[in-house]
Amino acid sequence: MAELRGVKVWMPARLKDSGGFALAMAIFALVLLAVIVAGGYFSASQEFHIGRGMRSTTTSFYAGEAGIRQVLEDWDPAVYGALLPGDTITVGPVAFEGGGSYTASVVRVGSAADSAKRYFYIESVGRPPSPTVGERRQAVVVRATFPELCCDGAVKTYNQVLFGGGAQPIISGLNDDPPGTWPASACAGIPGDSAPGVIVRQAANVNDPTRVQGQPPIWIDPTFTLPTMFDFGDLDYDDLVALADHEFPDGFSLNNSQPTVVDGKCDRSNPLNWGAPSTPSSPCFNYFPIIHVTGDLSLTGSGEAQGILLVDRDLTITGPFEFYGIVLVKRDLFMGGPVDFYGGAVVGDDVHFSGATPRFWLSRCATERAERLSKLTRPRLISPRAWVELF
Amino acid sequence: MMPRPPARSLGFTLVEVIVAMTLTGIVVAGTLKALTAQRKFYTRQARILDARHAMRASTIILASEFREASATGGDLYAVAADSVALRSTVGFAIVCNVSGVSGTLSLKHLSGHFRLDAADSVLVFAEYGASDADDVWRALPVVGISTAGSNCDSGETADRVVTVTGDLSGIWVGAPLRLFRAYVFGLFEFNGRWWLGRRNRGSGPDYVPVAGPLAPPGDGGLQLTYYRQDGATTVNPSLVSRVHISVRAPTDRTLADPAYRDLSTSTYLRNDG
């Protein structure tokens, strides 16, 4: 009996009492459904996160891999070849358009005591685009090796060495580091052993032996031939031509190197940039281009240059000119006037010295720098087991 | 005059009770059926997820091991369709000092687990002349690993110093070093289920589970196919260039009526050439 304004009145039971369980059942069902949906969402979300994590780590792996490949592809011998043991160069971070990035570091890990074994440890960290979780690290060990083109002696020639006119022309096989501007660190660790001044096939081929110094001054080797002179084991002349940075036509003449620097880096694209041998602070000090000339080449004027010259016919150097490096001349080498040549030469025909004080000094430092800092030096993965995935 | 109240309702009628009970039964039965179906669905889904996790873990572990190996260098000792014995690299470093007198190699650029309980041998790169022909990875037993000892040639502090027995000639500063242990990976049974396991190759048959459960060997729980460089299959460990890894994992609870999921991947051996 319900009360209405103090009066007890009868009302139907269904209107005054909610005694059913539909609401409870509905709530129970809703809770159940919520639990089920939450469980489903949790599972799906876990799978999603696992999938995303897998994708991230895979992206990182290949980004890191690309970093190593890119470092090897872009290997600049003038930069990496000049690293001292313990030195590190960091590349990146470099981002890819499709996502992911890498940061690579190149460490010269060899010992100063052994300059020939040039080990580099390249570690690359790959990262996914976003979120930045799941980075992967991998590394390789490479050796930057170079074929030895030079030199059994200061000058090796197939025919004659002819000294004429002028005062004090000289060929010296007594090792001599370039004087003056080259810092000691440039030649550090390079063995300084001396060698013959000239190597010829017979003694009569040198018209004035008093002009030659070395250990011994003249070395007679009747066995070598024109083809073998230009065969350097792993490489021959044609292989070297294929490696040339720049090629010039017959009759080309250079009066001075024009080292150019762009964005703080030596501009290797400039064909007249033949290094900066007298400026150690220049980024081009360590740049030794390989130059191929399809005929005759002249180096004239008051200039300087460095590198590896491949001359298909005659090379003429008239001073005052200074050259540092290696020359391979298929025919004659003419040196006239005050010329200072530091390095080594292989000449397919005759060597002519004339005019005032043309000097040819064997320099192990100049020849090894030319080999080590030019494109002759390529990084090669040690074989096998060069690659490692880091933890 | 007061209205006369109707006769008092004393309860539900029989018909009302029957209807209510029938409806309740239908609702409860439906709910239970839905619950059961959902439970089965989630159980199945959970098993599929578990199977996927097991397969993923198995392929990742095996692919990682194969990727690190060099077939030409002899890292694969024995290859079979459902197992492989190989050198497993557990640590990597660069030699920064060599002392032939004390038989120690100081290390920098460390990665991995440099502990004697993790591995007891190293492979270290040795070279003699300028030619690659005389290069060799020399395996040496490790007798000690410490954090103290000689420093690097550069003057830096070494991260670890390993003491080895054997010839250290030809090992230069900068040479890479790998700490390794010879392991066998294969299927083994434990508590009625099959697992991808790992055991030391030299000592005892006891496997340690690394991932699973997987299908029994007879149902293709682990299938390894080895390929040469030219794409032909091979059973010669030194000729392996690529490995196809196929794993299968159970998704049903009953062993008598298994249903399986499959996962396959291929990996190249990265350390040849």
Side-chain angles (χ1 to χ4, degrees):
Chain A
M1 192 73 71
E3 273 192 18
L4 186 62
R5 294 174 190 161
V7 179
K8 289 188 176 179
V9 296
W10 175 88
M11 286 183 73
R14 64 180 179 278
L15 294 182
K16 67 171 183 170
D17 183 9
S18 299
F21 55 87
L23 180 61
M25 285 298 290
I27 291 172
F28 175 69
L30 283 173
V31 170
L32 202 63
L33 277 173
V35 170
I36 288 167
V37 169
Y41 175 78
F42 180 71
S43 296
S45 147
Q46 266 206 324
E47 275 295 286
F48 171 74
H49 285 298
I50 290 170
R52 193 170 64 171
M54 293 282 286
R55 195 181 67 171
S56 287
T57 53
T58 304
T59 303
S60 301
F61 180 83
Y62 287 109
E65 182 78 15
I68 289 175
R69 296 294 147 198
Q70 203 62 49
V71 167
L72 293 175
E73 187 74 19
D74 297 342
W75 189 268
D76 184 347
V79 174
Y80 296 115
L83 289 181
L84 298 173
D87 286 353
T88 301
I89 288 179
T90 301
V91 180
V94 177
F96 297 105
E97 277 187 24
S101 65
Y102 70 82
T103 303
S105 56
V106 182
V107 188
R108 166 91 190 275
V109 289
S111 165
D114 184 14
S115 65
K117 311 252 181 329
R118 306 182 69 78
Y119 293 103
F120 292 86
Y121 172 74
I122 305 171
E123 182 178 321
S124 179
V125 182
R127 296 186 179 88
S130 179
T132 53
V133 293
E135 69 178 32
R136 299 271 292 268
R137 292 195 307 144
Q138 48 198 297
V140 293
V141 178
V142 302
R143 275 185 303 180
T145 56
F146 50 83
E148 291 198 10
L149 302 184
C150 198
C151 290
D152 303 329
V155 175
K156 184 176 186 177
T157 183
Y158 186 71
N159 281 324
Q160 294 185 304
V161 178
L162 303 168
F163 295 96
Q168 301 296 316
I170 195 169
I171 297 177
S172 174
L174 304 175
N175 179 59
D176 211 334
D177 289 343
T181 56
W182 282 37
S185 61
C187 300
I190 297 174
D193 48 320
S194 293
V198 296
I199 301 175
V200 287
R201 293 188 303 140
Q202 51 187 327
N205 282 2
V206 182
N207 74 340
D208 187 353
T210 63
R211 303 295 188 189
V212 183
Q213 302 171 351
Q215 291 181 347
I218 298 171
W219 180 259
I220 309 300
D221 180 0
T223 63
F224 67 83
T225 63
L226 268 177
T228 59
M229 283 180 77
F230 294 98
D231 187 341
F232 308 99
D234 292 341
L235 294 171
D236 61 18
Y237 188 85
D238 292 338
D239 296 326
L240 293 168
V241 167
L243 288 173
D245 293 278
H246 299 290
E247 186 171 281
F248 293 94
D250 177 25
F252 178 73
S253 179
L254 180 86
N255 57 18
N256 197 3
S257 171
Q258 297 174 19
T260 47
V261 177
V262 176
D263 295 333
K265 293 182 179 176
C266 186
D267 178 15
R268 304 167 64 101
S269 65
N270 175 10
L272 299 180
N273 176 4
W274 291 22
S278 61
T279 315
S281 60
S282 167
C284 294
F285 177 65
N286 291 325
Y287 175 45
F288 283 74
I290 300 176
I291 304 293
H292 175 223
V293 180
T294 57
D296 296 340
L297 168 66
S298 298
L299 304 179
T300 63
S302 180
E304 61 178 13
Q306 64 185 10
I308 296 175
L309 302 185
L310 311 173
V311 184
D312 286 356
R313 290 217 296 261
D314 297 343
L315 168 61
T316 303
I317 311 177
T318 54
F321 203 96
E322 292 180 3
F323 187 85
Y324 305 80
I326 299 169
V327 296
L328 307 180
V329 183
K330 281 297 188 79
R331 291 209 321 211
D332 293 342
L333 168 63
F334 296 93
M335 287 177 62
V339 173
D340 280 306
F341 191 117
Y342 289 90
V346 177
V347 180
D349 201 346
D350 297 330
V351 176
H352 302 266
F353 273 55
S354 62
T357 59
R359 306 281 176 93
F360 198 115
W361 314 92
L362 173 71
S363 171
R364 298 291 187 191
C365 177
T367 58
E368 184 168 323
R369 273 170 58 78
E371 291 166 337
R372 189 211 306 164
L373 299 174
S374 70
K375 278 167 63 179
L376 283 181
T377 297
R378 297 304 304 164
R380 290 187 302 159
L381 299 174
I382 61 164
S383 180
R385 302 189 189 90
W387 182 88
V388 64
E389 183 164 16
L390 303 171
F391 299 99
Chain B
M1 186 173 160
M2 294 287 287
R4 188 178 171 191
R8 191 178 178 194
S9 176
L10 294 176
F12 297 108
T13 65
L14 180 61
V15 173
E16 283 177 328
V17 170
I18 289 172
V19 169
M21 287 182 66
T22 305
L23 287 175
T24 304
I26 290 169
V27 169
V28 169
T31 305
L32 282 177
K33 190 173 179 185
L35 273 176
T36 308
Q38 287 297 339
R39 189 176 57 81
K40 281 184 181 169
F41 173 75
Y42 284 121
T43 306
R44 196 167 62 245
Q45 283 300 107
R47 288 202 193 111
I48 290 171
L49 291 183
D50 288 346
R52 282 183 187 160
H53 293 166
M55 292 188 296
R56 241 184 242 134
S58 302
T59 52
I60 286 172
I61 289 165
L62 287 172
S64 172
E65 293 289 347
F66 282 122
R67 204 180 291 127
E68 203 80 45
S70 163
T72 55
D75 289 350
L76 301 182
Y77 299 118
V79 295
D82 59 358
S83 68
V84 61
L86 48 71
R87 275 195 187 113
S88 176
T89 300
V90 297
F92 177 85
I94 298 289
V95 174
C96 68
N97 174 267
V98 182
S99 172
V101 177
S102 57
T104 58
L105 300 168
S106 302
L107 306 176
K108 287 292 282 183
H109 302 286
L110 220 66
S111 172
H113 307 290
F114 270 82
R115 300 191 315 264
L116 265 183
D117 59 353
D120 54 9
S121 305
V122 292
L123 276 173
V124 60
F125 185 74
E127 68 163 306
Y128 296 92
S131 162
D132 291 352
D134 57 2
D135 295 350
V136 63
W137 280 87
R138 188 174 298 138
L140 301 169
V142 177
V143 295
I145 298 177
S146 71
T147 53
S150 58
N151 282 335
C152 300
D153 277 10
S154 62
E156 295 174 287
T157 304
D159 294 331
R160 290 282 194 288
V161 177
V162 296
T163 306
V164 296
T165 54
D167 179 17
L168 298 188
S169 67
I171 299 171
W172 304 91
V173 170
L177 175 145
R178 289 167 178 268
L179 189 70
F180 75 92
R181 174 159 278 171
Y183 282 127
V184 177
F185 286 88
L187 287 176
F188 78 105
E189 190 177 11
F190 177 69
N191 280 351
R193 289 191 171 273
W194 290 85
W195 304 79
L196 174 67
R198 190 190 68 191
R199 67 175 172 82
N200 289 336
R201 181 170 181 249
S203 57
D206 293 339
Y207 272 103
V208 175
V210 293
L214 298 177
D219 288 343
L222 172 64
Q223 289 180 305
L224 302 170
T225 313
Y226 308 90
Y227 295 91
R228 298 188 316 210
Q229 191 125 28
D230 61 7
T233 58
T234 182
V235 292
N236 183 338
S238 65
L239 296 180
V240 176
S241 168
R242 177 171 66 90
V243 184
H244 185 78
I245 305 164
S246 182
V247 291
R248 174 174 281 191
T251 57
D252 268 2
R253 185 180 296 275
T254 57
L255 294 174
D257 181 25
Y260 294 123
R261 296 272 165 163
D262 298 291
L263 182 67
S264 296
T265 187
S266 268
T267 188
Y268 280 89
L269 277 59
R270 291 294 313 275
N271 272 321
D272 279 321

